[in-house]
């Protein structure tokens, strides 16, 4: 995280990123959100999370929605 993310993050944004990257296995699978984050396009970065669902797999859609809530709204919901 510290080498890839060059912009400041609040704790909830950092936590959402850690969840996403842990579940993907690294940053290589999500270059678009990382690129947007590193240009301070925080909203665009978070919007990109929704596209990382392996074609709409229900469990991944729910997980990404949870990560997006965490990133944007500080909502920590473990029911996904």
């Amino acid at each position: 995280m510290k080498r890839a993310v060059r912009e400041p993050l609040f704790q909830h944004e950092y936590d959402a990123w850690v969840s996403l990257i842990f579940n993907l296995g690294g940053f290589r699978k999500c270059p678009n959100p990382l690129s947007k984050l590193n240009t301070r396009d925080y909203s665009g970065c978070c919007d990109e999370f929704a596209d990382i669902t392996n074609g709409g797999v229900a469990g991944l859609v729910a997980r990404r929605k949870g990560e997006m809530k965490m990133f944007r709204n500080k909502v920590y919901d473990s029911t996904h």
Side-chain angles (χ1 to χ4, degrees):
M1 284 285 296
K2 290 183 180 186
R3 285 183 284 149
V5 176
R6 298 185 306 263
E7 298 302 326
L9 296 172
F10 290 109
Q11 187 64 51
H12 61 279
E13 294 167 336
Y14 179 87
D15 294 345
W17 263 101
V18 168
S19 176
L20 177 70
I21 298 309
F22 175 80
N23 285 285
L24 292 178
F27 284 99
R28 283 178 277 158
K29 295 182 181 177
C30 61
N32 292 339
L34 181 61
S35 175
K36 288 185 179 194
L37 177 62
N38 283 329
T39 60
R40 292 192 176 213
D41 180 2
Y42 292 93
S43 182
C45 160
C46 189
D47 290 342
E48 291 285 335
F49 285 21
D51 291 337
I52 307 169
T53 62
N54 286 348
V57 173
L60 293 177
V61 169
R63 179 176 293 280
R64 296 295 98 83
K65 284 182 181 179
E67 290 161 347
M68 291 168 75
K69 280 183 177 178
M70 186 186 308
F71 189 93
R72 282 198 173 111
N73 306 319
K74 302 179 193 177
V75 174
Y76 288 78
D77 181 2
S78 63
T79 61
H80 63 275

